[in-house]
Amino acid sequence: MIKPRSRRGGGRPTLSDVARKAGVGAITVSRALRDPARVSEELRRQIQAAVDELGYVPDPNARALASARAEVFGVLVPSLTNNVFAEVVRGIYDSLSDSPFRIQLGNTHYSGLEEERLLQLFGSQRPAALIVAGIDQTPTSRKLLENAGCPVVQVMETGPDPVDMMVGFSHLDGGRTATEHLIEAGYRRIGFIGARMDPRSQRRLAGYRVAMEKAGLSDPRLITTTPVLSSVPLGRELFRDALAKMPTLDGVFCNNDDIALGVLFECHRASIDVPKTIGIVGFNDLDMMQVAFPSITSIRTHRYEIGRRAVAMALAAISGDRPRERVVDLGFELKRRESTAR
Amino acid sequence: MIKPRSRRGGGRPTLSDVARKAGVGAITVSRALRDPARVSEELRRQIQAAVDELGYVPDPNARALASARAEVFGVLVPSLTNNVFAEVVRGIYDSLSDSPFRIQLGNTHYSGLEEERLLQLFGSQRPAALIVAGIDQTPTSRKLLENAGCPVVQVMETGPDPVDMMVGFSHLDGGRTATEHLIEAGYRRIGFIGARMDPRSQRRLAGYRVAMEKAGLSDPRLITTTPVLSSVPLGRELFRDALAKMPTLDGVFCNNDDIALGVLFECHRASIDVPKTIGIVGFNDLDMMQVAFPSITSIRTHRYEIGRRAVAMALAAISGDRPRERVVDLGFELKRRESTAR
DNA sequence: GGGAAAAATGGTAGCGCTACCATGACGTTG
DNA sequence: CAACGTCATGGTAGCGCTACCATTTTTCCC
């Protein structure tokens, strides 16, 4: 006996149900949905009516299988809770919410191996585009990206050798700018405090080094780092370590704002005057920096905008007109605040 | 003329390529990959060798189409940047990273309409499970969840009427506990400050009201709320409003830790002594609360654990043994700190 | 008004995989 | 030893959609 409807599908309406109801061929329905311009006004109306009546929703899996291309953006970030990446991801989501594209988000946990695994997995879906954080992919990852057969955008940083496209800014310049600001403000024994020393943090540290050397102020004992994940409590710990090591410290450039906040709190606790005794500079400029007391100088980065821009570039590439600029530097901004106003 | 290989597929190896190479039927390869126990040791080895040699990766789209079931968890949260949801999402990702399941993450922006749209979209993929934040779905959303044909876990809150399963805690109890703590600590003119008054915030406020009424302390002028998205700067603003409205304020229960931090900073700025003049309680207990100066009393919630538990329950339901407890209350913990130590 | 191009529509044949059933090779049992 | 399971494997027929090509209809131009 022949069942009236597919045994597997669970009875949801399919494209040919719509076609039958609208009295047209299945292919026409497909076209009406994907490229309405190629179907006459009248049929389009009929089809729309049938779609509405049946509550038809296209099956993205079938679509992906038939067209060998999934309407999916693969997005790879090293952390989901770090506000910096959360903002980038939010920018990506907001830019894609009105498009037919779904998002496949992966968390690499700052691990190259994990990144390779996820890239492999994402690749098997033939995504429409890939957005990955950072520019320091392993050789394997890089090869996977090159062979992905879709636009690739590396975000957060700029560098000389994009797989395809890049949006970000120079962390080295950011680190140097922050440090130079402290120097100009009159600080001399300026420490660097950094957690989770990923490649971006390393480059901020490199920027710090450049500035300190140029000013003839460098001293390796001024640098305090740890591979541990960054947090406000950790910022406090590291600052105490730094002070113990170097009691004459009169300024700190912090790897990020969490650390800076931890430093600020410890200063309060230990009755160290900010900015008189110690100057503090953060990185990223979370919105709390401007309300902190004293407000904290920081390097404002354009995370949300990076996400939006990455999507815009990928979308352009998908629709055929690759942007002329393959590498976009969105820069950063030094926000001078009370914590360095000596 | 017949092309040697599929015109569309881009030349990636398929299941039948593996089958040919291993000298077995396609179906056997499929089984060897999905349910190795049903294939003999020897064939399994041969097949594995062929898979490795060809670099075969199964196509999830084809798999989903053929089996009418995608190996995808749909996850819906109202915000990507709010640390609370980021933690839940992290828990979900971590629990699923070793499973074959992918994650489809949607951002509802606290909008019921957006939630419906995303649920519709996610449903079209026939996900293996759905995890949604909150228990206040619109009737349409609720129906979509009920008809999703897969396990559904509502997270962040517990309530009387689960669609399927729930993991969370009582925000009302949390709000009441926080407020009672302030009362016990000797505060009397206790304000409530809340931003982004979503249903969970409303219930915390309800808990505050219960406690204040029971103590005979309630006064509507003590309550300051706004629908605006929560942030540290906003916390500062709201606190100033609250103080202007009610200068005799001697304590505040804040909707969340961002607000609490804003309040603390404003107290510093205005030289208001915490906890002597004003007591502060936050909600969620972000890790910075314990290092803040003074450290801030807060209601610790188990966000990461909620994510993990939700996945565990969904996974159990998928594999057939639904947990006995359909509603899991993970509770919360009052962390007493300096900000209320009068 | 005839011919050609363009536009609109449809049919067929898969995409890569799995559900379902069939087959054959083994025990196992009364 | 016939009858019957059980296990390992394979063949066939789709899943719901789109690429590709064929067909029909319309439009345009000299």
Side-chain angles (χ1 to χ4, degrees), chain A residues 97-125:
Chain A
S97 68
D98 287 329
S99 80
F101 294 100
R102 288 167 294 151
I103 295 166
Q104 189 69 45
L105 181 62
N107 180 0
T108 67
H109 293 98
Y110 293 95
S111 148
L113 236 68
E114 190 73 351
E115 185 169 58
E116 287 175 16
R117 198 183 64 81
L118 287 166
L119 238 26
Q120 177 88 357
L121 193 69
F122 284 18
S124 71
Q125 292 182 74

Side-chain angles (χ1 to χ4, degrees), chain A residues 89-98 103 304 308, chain B residues 107 109:
Chain A
V89 169
R90 188 168 68 87
I92 293 171
Y93 267 80
D94 285 359
S95 296
L96 245 24
S97 68
D98 287 329
I103 295 166
Y304 183 76
R308 298 208 65 121
Chain B
N107 179 358
H109 293 98

